[in-house]
Amino acid sequence: RQAEAALAQATAARDGAMEETLVFARLLSARIDDHVSQMGQLLNTLGHAVSFDPAATPSNDKFLRTLKEGLPNFIGELAIWTPKGDNIGNLWPVENRNALNIGGWQYFKEALKKRGPAVAGPFASRGSREFTMIFTQTVVDDKGNVQGVVTASLRLGDFRDVLGRGTTLPEGTVTTLLDPQGIVLARSLNPEIWIGETLIGTQAIRQALKQREGSFALQAEDG
């Protein structure tokens, strides 16, 4: 009877833990959706607030720097581009704006082709392990002509708070955000090590990517 009671208790504890992880995953998913939605709203507002006339570049720069003061820390870059990829507005000072052209970049080409919002990445910064996601919004006028593109980058290292740092997650909880290819976009523990790594070869990740939502238990190497 003691063995049966212990087994029943262990089963109940496991079932409770699995349900709890699903509840937390849903909450985190909603939080992530909210932040992504904010990025979309930011770019939509930006696309209507700036000028795509190259002559307005200085005022665009000033506007972006004023705007950044009220934005979350995880937003790293804000920029405005002509349809050819020339920069006509940048959050940070640019030494040689004429050399700053992204017309040949794949994500920029896809943004123009899509004529709407798009997301690309993660991209690693040169000389560092900092990763960003690039959010783009192509601005089209009433006649269907492309006016330009606005972009914002999301610093994945600073996205850590969204995954539960400083919240009431149970002790020992580690939360991870993956893209559809199993690449780590954010992690609550040691993000500087994990972001950009691919976990597609892991049984748990392959199983997770096949289902819309759910919980499952895996046995660790120590049993």
Side-chain angles (χ1 to χ4, degrees), residues 77-155:
E77 301 280 352
L78 293 171
I80 306 162
W81 312 89
T82 68
K84 293 183 178 181
D86 295 320
N87 183 263
I88 52 173
N90 211 66
L91 178 61
W92 309 113
V94 180
E95 292 184 5
N96 184 3
R97 199 179 300 264
N98 292 330
L100 189 60
N101 181 287
I102 61 171
W105 291 32
Q106 187 60 34
Y107 82 84
F108 184 78
K109 293 179 180 178
E110 292 179 359
L112 291 177
K113 183 178 179 180
K114 190 174 181 181
R115 289 183 168 231
V119 185
F123 299 106
S125 300
R126 294 180 181 178
S128 74
R129 284 283 296 172
E130 181 175 295
F131 286 85
T132 61
M133 298 291 289
I134 305 296
F135 288 71
T136 63
Q137 173 71 53
T138 303
V139 180
V140 181
D141 65 17
D142 295 337
K143 297 181 179 179
N145 300 314
V146 173
Q147 298 298 292
V149 176
V150 291
T151 61
S153 70
L154 187 154
R155 282 196 295 252

Side-chain angles (χ1 to χ4, degrees), residues 218-223:
L218 296 174
Q219 189 174 60
E221 293 180 358
D222 60 1

Side-chain angles (χ1 to χ4, degrees), residues 158-170:
D158 292 334
F159 210 46
R160 185 174 175 180
D161 290 342
V162 180
L163 293 184
R165 180 185 177 189
T167 64
T168 56
L169 293 176

